Amino acid sequence: MTAAAIVVAAGRGERFGAAGNKLLLPLAGRPVLLWTLLRLRACPRLTEFVIVAAERDREAVVTLAEQALPDRPWRMAAGGATRSQSVRSGLAALPAEVEWVAIHDGARPLISPALVERLLDAAQVAGAAYRLGARCLEVVREDGRVRAAVEGPDGPEEVVARAAVLAGGVRFRVLDRAGAVRPRRLLQTAQTELPMAGVDEVEVYLGREVAGGSFAWAIPTVGKRVKLGVCAEERAAVLLERLLAGPRIAPRRLDGVARIRSKPVPVRPARRTAYERVVVVGDAAGQVKPTTAGGIYYGILCAELAARTLDDGLRRGDLSARRLAGYERSWRAELGRELRVGSAFRRIGERLDDKRLDRLVRALALLPADVHALVAGGGEERGALEALAASLGVADRFHLLGPREDVGAVLAALDVFVVCSDREGLSNAMLEALAAGVPVVSTAVSGAAEALAPDAGGLAPGVVVGFDPAELAAAVGALLADPARRLAMGRAAARRARERFDFERMLDAWEAVLAG
């Protein structure tokens, strides 16, 4: 058996945040590519090597190849604009006598030589072929076989097989033509990657204005690069553009053009994923986490279960729907409970609005056990908030009072009034608290800085903090621990309401504006 290795090493390292090819960067004292070549050289059946690299890296790659492969024939091939083009370039550079090819990404230096040997054995026994750079247009079950229409670099072709695994994501035409049902619920995602300052850990943004009842995220990668995205019921790209221009993101953007990519993602699995001669895996089956729409682990697990079921069916000569239903049973037994719990948490999150009372619950969990939170008013998020309070161990300190007519009495019972919203106009509830002489702690929503600014003597009627529950808790805790300061701020609050937000004063101000 004559086997060759194609090592794809033509990347630019943009996602990695590197100035050049990340494969040339050191890892434990050696360039990444050198480690990869040494691991592959340990496979005795790999008798030829083709290293696909960009012209700009030729000199460095030649040096590493000479060091790693002193006793193996090797040659260079020019990298392409895409990975599939680079692989095709590597295939074209192979000697004609090569029968088997192992294609490996040079950025993965931990490949096991034993795994490569096992893969070569399996390929030799079972046969394997790749349609590189090809796109599956449809899969049809007919006459005891499966027929796939494929569009490749050399034009259209037809592939006929005994069975098929649909694992190409949520592509309605492919699912429909194969007679497979779609995932039961889909959301839209939009994501971009750009350099930002101050994103040191994952940030998650909730609220209907931010993500239409779902969530948005900022995930630091390498250097200062950040993946910023939105998952929403609809208009995900529009919401992402709004987030990019809004106060959370715009001040921290460094440079670069935001190229937004959108795609549908499932958040509930399809009712059925096994049919005669066809099984559905991964995103196409809706096998993703309902809370994050992440699916790598689920996809790997379900792919293994699908392979076992198909192997059994092929050995028995039975690819009926009944036989392949074993795949359905096995993956639901593994993931069913986790998916149900995730769906419940998603429903909780979707009920949280831009008032972000969940932030108040999280802040309460950081405060001493004798601190209680009162919330007046009704709303559909009540159950979600109660569930969150219970999960954080503060259910006995978080009190939802429901709609109240005696707002004055409720305000009089408070030591501190909290505004925890993601966005507001000038909050009427905050003005009512000021008028009642209650000091305010507010997130940095519109109007808060103006309403709570210090007076001429330097005394402020409230405190403006960021959107982190820990900041909210710290500010509330500081006021509760200092009765004298709290009393002085309460007096300043009542004075601010009289002097700035009294009805007659506001009416006079509006008349002056309208008079021009």
Side-chain angles (χ1 to χ4, degrees), residues 24 45 54 64 76 97 124 129 180 202 245 260 264 272 314 331 335 346 354 360 378 401 403 431 461:
L24 302 179
R45 277 190 285 179
L64 296 177
M76 296 273 292
E97 64 272 16
Q124 191 173 18
V202 175
I260 296 175
R272 183 179 174 188
L314 289 166
W331 80 256
L335 300 177
R346 168 165 281 281
D354 291 328
L360 176 62
L401 307 181
L431 298 183

Side-chain angles (χ1 to χ4, degrees), residues 87-433:
V87 173
R88 288 174 63 83
S89 176
L91 290 170
L94 285 172
E97 64 272 16
V98 171
E99 299 176 285
W100 301 90
V101 182
I103 302 170
H104 187 66
D105 186 340
R108 287 161 173 76
L110 302 181
I111 180 68
S112 162
L115 175 60
V116 176
E117 293 291 328
R118 291 200 302 272
L119 289 172
L120 288 171
D121 287 338
Q124 191 173 18
V125 171
Y130 285 92
R131 297 294 194 272
L132 298 167
R135 183 169 182 264
C136 181
L137 303 178
E138 67 175 15
V139 172
V140 179
R141 293 179 286 144
E142 59 184 19
D143 301 327
R145 64 177 188 170
V146 175
R147 176 177 56 80
V150 177
E151 182 71 39
D154 300 322
E157 61 177 313
E158 183 176 275
V159 178
V160 178
R162 295 170 64 189
V165 178
L166 305 186
V170 183
R171 297 175 57 196
F172 296 144
R173 175 180 171 83
V174 174
L175 291 171
D176 294 346
R177 291 287 287 153
V181 296
R182 303 176 183 183
R184 281 180 284 174
R185 186 181 177 196
L186 296 169
L187 296 180
Q188 293 182 7
T189 63
Q191 182 168 279
T192 188
E193 187 172 343
L194 70 167
M196 288 179 58
V199 184
D200 301 317
E201 57 186 16
V202 175
E203 299 180 4
V204 177
Y205 317 116
L206 303 174
R208 299 191 182 281
E209 288 296 322
V210 176
S214 188
F215 67 100
W217 62 88
I219 303 173
T221 55
V222 177
K224 294 185 178 296
R225 297 195 68 79
V226 174
K227 289 184 177 180
L228 188 71
V230 170
C231 180
E233 290 281 357
E234 57 185 7
R235 303 184 305 118
V238 173
L239 291 169
L240 179 54
E241 289 174 351
R242 182 186 299 170
L243 182 65
L244 286 163
R248 288 187 183 86
I249 304 302
R252 297 188 286 171
R253 288 182 61 177
L254 296 178
D255 54 35
V257 177
R259 296 181 175 87
I260 296 175
R261 296 183 178 181
S262 301
K263 70 171 185 177
V265 296
V267 289
R268 289 190 69 189
R271 295 186 183 277
R272 183 179 174 188
T273 59
Y275 308 84
E276 181 182 356
R277 299 187 177 275
V278 169
V279 294
V280 190
V281 174
D283 281 14
Q287 293 161 340
V288 302
K289 294 182 178 180
T291 49
T292 66
I296 294 177
Y297 168 70
Y298 286 2
I300 292 173
L301 173 64
C302 293
E304 181 176 351
L305 296 173
R308 290 178 184 174
T309 304
L310 284 170
D311 181 63
D312 178 65
L314 289 166
R315 290 177 187 275
R316 294 172 180 267
D318 182 2
L319 296 171
S320 65
R322 182 176 180 179
R323 173 65 58 185
L324 299 189
Y327 159 67
E328 184 103 41
R329 291 190 294 271
S330 60
W331 80 256
R332 291 190 187 277
E334 290 277 355
L335 300 177
R337 183 177 183 276
E338 190 171 339
L339 288 169
R340 289 192 295 274
V341 171
S343 294
F345 273 103
R346 168 165 281 281
R347 288 193 294 271
I348 289 173
E350 287 171 347
R351 294 187 183 121
L352 299 177
D353 64 14
D354 291 328
K355 294 295 185 184
R356 288 302 305 275
L357 292 173
D358 65 302
R359 183 177 283 128
L360 176 62
V361 179
R362 297 181 191 281
L364 181 63
L366 301 175
L367 288 164
D370 61 345
V371 177
H372 290 248
L374 308 180
V375 178
E380 62 179 10
E381 68 270 20
R382 182 185 187 102
L385 292 169
E386 289 175 337
L388 179 61
S391 71
L392 295 176
V394 296
D396 59 334
R397 299 194 285 128
F398 182 70
H399 308 283
L400 293 168
L401 307 181
R404 298 290 290 255
E405 297 293 334
D406 57 340
V407 175
V410 175
L411 289 172
L414 301 181
D415 294 301
V416 179
F417 183 86
V418 177
V419 176
C420 50
S421 304
D422 273 344
R423 61 181 69 226
E424 291 270 2
L426 181 58
S427 169
N428 285 329
M430 178 170 62
L431 298 183
E432 290 172 353

